[in-house]
Amino acid sequence: MDELARRLGLRTNPQIFFWSAGLMIAILILLLAFPGPLGEVFGQGRDWVVTHLGWFFILGVTTWVLFLIWVAFSRYGSLRLGADDDRPAYGNLSWFAMLFAGGIGTVLMFWGVAEPMSHFAAPPFPDVEPYSVEAARSAMSISLYHLSIHTWAIFTLPGLAFGYFVYRKGLPLRFSSAFYPLLKERIHGTPGKVIDVFAVLGTIFGLAVSLGLGTSQISAGLSSLTGLEDAVWLRVVIITVLTIVATASIVAGLDKGVKRLSNLNILTAVALMIFVLFAGETVFLLRQLIESLGYYLQDVVRLSFWNDAMAEFSKEGGWGWQGGWTVFYWAWTVTWSPFMGIFLARISRGRTIREFVGGVLVAPSVFTLVWFVVFGWSAMELDGIGGSGGELSAAVAESVPLAMFAFFENFPLATLTSGIAIVVVALFFATSSDSASLVVDMLCSGEAEGGPTRQRVFWGVSEGAVAASLIVLGGDEALTSLQQVITVMGLPVFILVFAMVPMLVMAFREEGFVVRKGRVPAGEGPIIPKEETGDADDRRAGSSPAP
């Protein structure tokens, strides 16, 4: 493998690169050659995971939220992701735009109208009437639970682990570096490489689901505007075109490519949101902004532990609803947490743990709150709160990807706003593929900078090919197919990310920080290394931050 990598002019770890690429291509061939049997296998696998381990996904993500809050407020919160004298490379505005546009933008565009309307029309709680005031309130709380702090905790945990082990301990920029407290130097051997291959495959398939959702939405929008049939062939064409655009951005690199696209699409999305705010019921939405935050804070603890254990006694469905929503979200999100984790660590070097956790958990969650209030409450108000459902809920029931465009038909300049929405989704698509390609390349090479252009282009094209294959596999039921595949593939990645919690705890204990005696109570004030107190510290050599 080393000789082949040399002949191809690659700068990467040959074992990780070729095993990841080979397994990905093998899976692609199987998906295209046996779509029916594989569809059944993934369907059965998804049912088993949801039924037997759905509780594990729900408890796991809630555990991560609590752990991150503890770390941020602990004495370790002042540690920097890098050397003590490192400072952030990006300003707060660019930092926020880059972390937000890493992939979640596509999700908000897809679900901003569709998820609140889905829960509004079919509440998961047995004592809530569809289309009622209570249904609207619970729909908003559930939507915020799914896509705010809990989702970003799934990104923040691996981001914190990578930033700490890579930039503070000087380990390679690979997923396996987060397991150094357990594996030690074996992260460079077979155990570490197996973990890295899993991370690469999980990232590619997780991103493919996100790109598949975005493509479905673009296809539905184009069909609505032009009359073209919303068919599989159109989605494949869209993926092909946007993959070419993303590949062009890949060649430009992180600072020129991702930063520019991130700033552009976040500004466009904000402009679209402001238009809806002022073209709709402005005062109603501003009042709901405050009230929805209160209901979310009131409901989030209950939702964080709710897994419908009494479903068989209260109503039908049970894990059918949880599997299609919460478990799907967590399994899907965790598959691209290696990508987002590395990406977040890469753009956050020099920030303290407290800044990192607070910024990544809070800033995108606030934006998500505003987004869902503007689009979700506007949609439910248009459909008729307290009534029996209207045209918008019927449109969402017929086609989830069409929800946003059916929503814009109720506003002035519907054609123009729908066209802008398509552009925004396309930009988020390109940004996600761009940044993920760079990160996958880093996962393979272990270097903070991208390798040769051919490596990054390969991964960019691969992401588009996997997304297209999943669309073909699913056919007209593409969304269901995407849910099945990602729920199964998300399980091993979820277990690996969960293991990062004890890894970080072990590493923090070995950090060697103690409170200076007689100065401040334990857990407060400045912290100093053991070396300054005369205590022995067995920190390994070479623990300075990576260049």
Side-chain angles (χ1 to χ4, degrees):
M1 289 187 181
D2 292 337
E3 179 62 22
L4 179 59
R6 187 188 65 79
R7 291 186 178 183
L8 294 175
L10 304 180
R11 192 175 74 240
T12 186
N13 183 292
Q15 288 76 27
I16 298 173
F17 181 91
F18 287 119
W19 271 105
S20 299
L23 288 173
M24 179 197 65
I25 293 171
I27 294 172
L28 277 179
I29 293 173
L30 291 173
L31 286 174
L32 295 175
F34 307 102
L38 279 181
E40 293 181 5
V41 169
F42 280 113
Q44 294 172 0
R46 180 255 190 189
D47 291 342
W48 187 90
V49 171
V50 165
T51 301
H52 294 89
L53 294 174
W55 63 270
F56 174 59
F57 282 88
I58 292 172
L59 177 62
V61 177
T62 298
T63 300
W64 302 348
V65 172
L66 297 175
F67 171 74
L68 290 168
I69 293 173
W70 169 78
V71 170
F73 285 98
S74 73
R75 58 184 179 179
Y76 303 111
S78 60
L79 292 173
R80 289 194 178 274
L81 303 181
D84 291 335
D85 58 351
D86 278 353
R87 291 299 179 269
Y90 300 100
N92 290 335
L93 183 60
S94 291
W95 181 56
F96 167 65
M98 292 173 75
L99 65 89
F100 172 81
I104 198 67
T106 304
V107 179
L108 291 184
M109 287 297 296
F110 190 88
W111 294 113
V113 171
E115 177 160 8
M117 286 300 301
S118 297
H119 306 323
F120 178 53
F125 305 115
D127 56 343
V128 177
E129 292 295 324
Y131 309 109
S132 64
V133 172
E134 184 59 30
R137 287 173 174 171
S138 64
M140 185 55 57
S141 290
I142 292 170
S143 300
L144 292 174
Y145 163 59
H146 282 157
L147 289 168
S148 57
I149 289 178
H150 280 70
T151 281
W152 283 95
I154 298 175
F155 301 146
T156 307
L157 177 59
L160 172 61
F162 298 147
Y164 179 84
F165 287 108
V166 172
Y167 294 124
R168 189 165 185 87
K169 296 300 184 182
L171 296 173
L173 192 61
R174 296 198 189 105
F175 194 89
S176 57
S177 293
F179 296 85
Y180 184 83
L182 177 66
L183 297 178
K184 300 301 181 183
E185 296 305 320
R186 285 179 294 170
I187 65 169
H188 306 295
T190 299
K193 291 173 183 176
V194 170
I195 291 174
D196 290 326
V197 170
F198 266 111
V200 171
L201 291 175
T203 299
I204 292 173
F205 278 88
L207 182 70
V209 171
S210 182
L211 300 184
L213 293 177
T215 300
S216 298
Q217 191 173 32
I218 295 172
S219 177
L222 288 176
S223 177
S224 176
L225 291 176
T226 65
L228 288 172
E229 180 185 5
D230 184 10
V232 172
W233 70 265
L234 180 59
R235 297 170 192 170
V236 173
V237 169
I238 291 170
I239 287 179
T240 302
V241 172
L242 292 180
T243 298
I244 293 173
V245 173
T247 301
S249 179
I250 290 169
V251 175
L254 179 63
D255 294 326
K256 294 181 180 179
V258 177
K259 186 177 180 180
R260 290 176 182 175
L261 279 178
S262 299
N263 290 332
L264 176 61
N265 60 13
I266 195 69
L267 290 174
T268 308
V270 168
L272 197 62
M273 182 175 64
I274 292 174
F275 167 78
V276 174
L277 173 64
F278 287 103
E281 299 292 333
T282 307
V283 176
F284 170 74
L285 295 176
L286 292 176
R287 293 173 65 188
Q288 282 295 349
L289 182 63
I290 307 300
E291 190 165 302
S292 295
L293 175 60
Y295 275 109
Y296 167 68
L297 294 176
Q298 174 183 301
D299 295 338
V300 68
V301 174
R302 175 173 63 100
L303 292 172
S304 297
F305 295 93
W306 175 57
N307 63 76
D308 220 0
M310 299 297 290
E312 61 179 303
F313 303 108
S314 60
K315 64 184 177 66
E316 296 181 359
W319 277 115
W321 187 91
Q322 288 276 19
W325 287 101
T326 307
V327 178
F328 162 65
Y329 269 138
W330 298 165
W332 166 31
T333 306
V334 81
T335 52
W336 43 298
S337 65
F339 142 57
M340 280 297 292
I342 291 287
F343 184 68
L344 290 174
R346 173 70 174 80
I347 65 175
S348 302
R349 180 175 181 175
R351 295 186 181 273
T352 66
I353 289 178
R354 189 170 294 116
E355 289 174 338
F356 177 78
V357 172
V360 178
L361 280 185
V362 176
S365 297
V366 171
F367 186 92
T368 300
L369 168 68
V370 177
W371 185 274
F372 268 116
V373 166
V374 170
F375 285 95
W377 273 114
S378 293
M380 290 187 287
E381 191 272 336
L382 286 169
D383 206 54
I385 299 174
S388 58
E391 294 181 358
L392 190 53
S393 58
V396 174
E398 180 181 352
S399 173
V400 171
L402 194 58
M404 183 70 76
F405 306 103
F407 169 76
F408 282 131
E409 290 178 1
N410 296 277
F411 288 85
L413 306 174
T415 301
L416 176 61
T417 53
S418 294
I420 293 174
I422 292 174
V423 172
V424 171
V425 176
L427 286 173
F428 279 131
F429 182 118
T431 304
S432 299
S433 181
D434 183 329
S435 52
S437 301
L438 288 167
V439 169
V440 169
D441 190 42
M442 294 175 189
L443 284 170
C444 291
S445 67
E447 298 179 2
E449 300 299 330
T453 300
R454 61 177 67 89
Q455 290 177 198
R456 290 175 282 145
V457 169
F458 171 79
W459 292 120
V461 172
S462 298
E463 291 153 13
V466 173
S469 299
L470 293 178
I471 289 291
V472 172
L473 175 67
D476 294 333
E477 300 294 329
L479 181 58
T480 300
S481 174
L482 294 175
Q483 290 178 332
Q484 292 173 345
V485 171
I486 211 60
T487 302
V488 173
M489 298 201 67
L491 178 59
V493 182
F494 194 92
I495 294 172
L496 288 175
V497 174
F498 199 107
M500 289 182 178
V501 172
M503 295 300 103
L504 282 168
V505 171
M506 292 169 64
F508 289 154
R509 288 180 175 178
E510 294 175 355
E511 181 72 34
F513 280 90
V514 296
V515 180
R516 188 186 299 275
K517 295 181 179 180
R519 296 287 297 275
V520 293
E524 300 180 15
I527 48 181
I528 59 173
K530 282 186 179 178
E531 290 90 341
E532 296 184 15
T533 64
D535 295 330
D537 184 12
D538 190 27
R539 296 172 64 182
R540 75 182 189 88
S543 63
S544 59

